[in-house]
Amino acid sequence: MDITQIFRNNQNWVQEKLSVNPNYFNNLSKGQTPDILYIGCSDSRVTAEELMGVEPGEAFVLRNIANMVSNTDLSVMSVIDYAVTHLKVNHVIVCGHYYCGGVQAAMKSADMGILNPWLRNIRDVYRMHKDELNSIDNEEQRYKRLVELNVQEQCINVIKTAEVQRAYRDREFTVHGWVFDVKSGKLIDLNIDFVKLLENIMEIYRLDLDGAENLVAKPV
Ligand code: CO
């Protein structure tokens, strides 16, 4: 790749934006009020803004290998806190994708070095859903299902945080689990029923917040 081309691309992009609105960048400099936090995979094929068709300023974005929401990852925990508490986003999206190399690596018995602890979180998802996954004979289908279940478990990790539990209490707030299909370009809403999913486990994760008894786990 010719890196200097990137700067030419940038110049073209600046001109394009300014030709439509001379104040475009001036307006951007005034601040951001995104309504969504997108947590997705670092995979170069899964470009958050482009696949969602959103403009600069509309989405707060975090991408890491296999869109993980790890409880001890200071980066993702800080991003959630900042987006939910300070930017006051009303939607948190965890977006996985089929043909995810991270998920595929977690299905193999291989020593991946520093990636071992990271991918172990996906192996834990496999363990939690072992019966369902092992009942799928077709390997590609099993792999796709693990991508979906990983999204589901990472959404649950989002809901375990105090910031998100507070947001559920205080405003119209939604967590979404999506998958991007690299093969078709389509974005798929997994329509995860968190009320049902959390029915029996929310008592474990509910934090002691004033007036938070009507959290996501309880049908309203
Ligand atoms: Co991926």
Side-chain angles (χ1 to χ4, degrees):
M1 174 147 204
D2 175 9
I3 292 293
T4 59
Q5 181 63 43
I6 288 173
F7 289 89
R8 289 193 288 275
N9 294 346
N10 173 255
Q11 275 306 316
N12 292 339
W13 177 70
V14 169
Q15 290 312 322
E16 233 170 73
K17 291 291 184 194
L18 292 178
S19 69
V20 177
N21 178 2
N23 282 320
Y24 186 80
F25 294 102
N26 197 26
N27 290 342
L28 277 188
S29 74
K30 289 174 186 159
Q32 59 168 337
T33 53
D35 196 31
I36 64 175
L37 163 60
Y38 169 100
I39 300 170
C41 186
S42 296
D43 192 302
S44 60
R45 301 164 296 178
V46 189
T47 53
E49 288 88 349
E50 200 173 347
L51 75 88
M52 291 191 290
V54 300
E55 290 294 316
E58 292 188 313
F60 202 66
V61 170
L62 177 82
R63 293 169 64 183
N64 62 34
I65 294 174
N67 41 273
M68 302 304 289
V69 179
S70 175
N71 303 313
T72 53
D73 175 11
L74 192 56
S75 174
V76 69
M77 288 299 136
S78 303
V79 163
I80 290 173
D81 179 59
Y82 187 69
V84 174
T85 307
H86 299 281
L87 295 173
K88 302 219 178 308
V89 300
N90 290 313
H91 302 273
V92 176
I93 295 149
V94 176
C95 186
H97 68 102
Y98 296 140
Y99 312 100
C100 181
V103 172
Q104 191 169 40
M107 284 178 73
K108 287 181 184 148
S109 300
D111 182 354
M112 305 284 290
I114 188 66
L115 278 173
N116 288 339
W118 191 259
L119 297 177
R120 196 141 57 227
N121 293 308
I122 308 175
R123 291 181 197 274
D124 290 338
V125 174
Y126 200 110
R127 174 172 55 81
M128 282 186 270
H129 298 276
K130 189 176 162 210
D131 291 345
E132 180 188 341
L133 288 163
N134 282 355
S135 74
I136 304 170
D137 288 334
N138 182 295
E139 199 176 337
E140 188 176 343
Q141 291 308 318
R142 189 162 71 242
Y143 168 30
K144 284 174 127 175
R145 185 60 187 144
L146 180 56
V147 166
E148 296 171 359
L149 290 168
N150 185 46
V151 166
Q152 181 178 302
E153 293 301 330
Q154 302 320 312
C155 285
I156 291 172
N157 283 341
V158 169
I159 296 170
K160 288 174 190 169
T161 65
E163 299 79 28
V164 165
Q165 294 188 16
R166 226 172 264 126
Y168 267 112
R169 180 194 64 185
D170 294 343
R171 58 186 198 258
E172 279 287 310
F173 180 90
T174 319
V175 173
H176 310 263
W178 296 351
V179 167
F180 175 70
D181 184 358
V182 179
K183 215 170 192 171
S184 68
K186 285 199 176 128
L187 192 55
I188 300 154
D189 188 345
L190 295 175
N191 288 312
I192 300 169
D193 183 350
F194 290 110
V195 172
K196 187 161 171 269
L197 205 61
L198 298 173
E199 209 169 32
N200 297 318
I201 58 168
M202 203 56 201
E203 59 182 331
I204 301 167
Y205 296 114
R206 186 177 286 117
L207 302 173
D208 190 19
L209 306 175
D210 275 352
E213 60 276 357
N214 280 330
L215 273 177
V216 60
K218 298 229 174 146
V220 282

